[in-house]
Amino acid sequence: MTRIRRWTSALAVAVVATVVAAAEVPAVAAPTSPPRAQARITVCTATDGGILVAVRATRIAAGSPVVVSWGDGRTSRRATTCTDRAARAGAARCVRSASATFSAPGRYRVEVRQGARVLAARPVVVTADGRPTSEPGPEDASWRTDMLDRANALRASVGAAPLALCDSLGRAAQAYAADMAARSFFSHTSPEGTDPGDRADAQGFHGRAWGENIAAGYRSVEAVMAGWIDSPGHYANLVRPAFTQVGFGRATSTDQYGVYWVQDFGAGGSC
């Protein structure tokens, strides 16, 4: 079964649906806007065994504490009394950090939240030998290269400049594909209310434009690219001249769809 849905309106034909999102967003917030908190989650091998997951949240103005749920029952709370003005300036007191070490094998979902807003979320997989890994596994480079080559061949055919792989968009795409696969939902908006722009910001992208394609049920790069190309909304994202950067995500699930795919496009952001 294959799943597809439009960003602005739902469309279903039999059991087939398609998904696309695209938006132009300002690169800099208006001076009167409150600071936009953000967080980054990093994973590395711990010196004393297991893996270390570190969280760094920035521009945290006064209000609700920053709460990190580590996915194994542990939580960390970091209060903040920082002013909006200091948060905009990036003062050191507006930064909150936390870390946790994982040694037991398993799959964990690390989530950083302030109040009702999710600042960042990332699946963390610990293997039996205590090493970190990420989905979909060792074949990452080959399928991503295949998808990039197909996307850029399509763009070349219409005179659009090639896309470049962007690490921050790749992290956002992979984390979201894994999240949909883990919780068996399918939408550009997460259950917590984050959209593609929020997720790109949380990974440090901060671009002037973004777009997203998602799909579920396709078993290969060739198949999912054909599905996206056949859908006007997806196709528009793939060939949009304004986009210059891209990141890809793919994750497997035990549900009826089996594989979830994400393409995150952008321009003007940090990779």
Side-chain angles (χ1 to χ4, degrees):
M1 182 178 289
T2 305
R3 225 176 168 178
I4 303 182
R5 190 181 309 139
R6 294 261 328 193
W7 172 251
T8 53
S9 63
L11 173 65
V13 179
V15 293
V16 180
T18 305
V19 190
V20 62
E24 298 287 334
V25 295
V28 180
T32 56
S33 301
R36 190 175 182 84
Q38 59 186 3
R40 175 170 293 186
I41 301 170
T42 57
V43 181
C44 61
T45 302
T47 57
D48 56 350
I51 68 166
L52 177 69
V53 180
V55 170
R56 186 173 188 270
T58 59
R59 294 189 291 181
I60 307 296
S64 304
V66 175
V67 178
V68 183
S69 299
W70 299 105
D72 61 355
R74 291 179 291 175
T75 59
S76 298
R77 296 172 65 87
R78 299 291 186 267
T80 175
T81 57
C82 191
T83 65
D84 285 358
R85 181 177 180 180
R88 288 192 186 94
R93 64 180 178 276
C94 299
V95 178
R96 295 292 180 267
S97 60
S99 62
T101 301
F102 294 76
S103 56
R107 189 179 191 284
Y108 308 92
R109 184 177 188 273
V110 178
E111 182 177 280
V112 188
R113 178 189 296 271
Q114 186 181 34
R117 182 165 181 259
V118 176
L119 305 182
R122 177 173 178 172
V124 175
V125 180
V126 182
T127 61
D129 60 359
R131 295 180 180 273
T133 186
S134 60
E135 296 181 4
E139 73 279 18
D140 277 10
S142 61
W143 79 260
R144 292 174 194 274
T145 300
D146 186 13
M147 182 169 281
L148 182 65
D149 288 347
R150 290 174 186 273
N152 282 338
L154 175 66
R155 290 174 68 87
S157 71
V158 298
L163 298 167
L165 285 178
C166 176
D167 288 344
S168 55
L169 288 177
R171 290 192 301 270
Q174 183 57 46
Y176 197 55
D179 192 22
M180 288 193 294
R183 296 196 283 173
S184 295
F185 73 91
F186 186 71
S187 172
H188 290 286
T189 304
S190 75
E192 293 76 25
T194 62
D195 64 23
D198 294 328
R199 296 188 290 274
D201 280 351
Q203 296 296 337
F205 181 70
H206 312 309
R208 63 176 178 269
W210 56 260
E212 183 174 84
N213 288 346
I214 65 176
Y218 294 94
R219 303 293 170 171
S220 68
V221 170
E222 181 181 10
V224 73
M225 284 295 293
W228 279 330
I229 290 170
D230 285 343
S231 165
H234 292 82
Y235 178 85
N237 272 352
L238 282 162
V239 300
R240 192 180 300 274
F243 292 149
T244 58
Q245 299 155 307
V246 71
F248 304 133
R250 184 184 74 177
T252 58
S253 173
T254 57
D255 67 17
Q256 60 183 325
Y257 298 104
V259 186
Y260 289 77
W261 303 84
V262 178
Q263 292 181 325
D264 280 340
F265 304 89
S270 299
C271 294

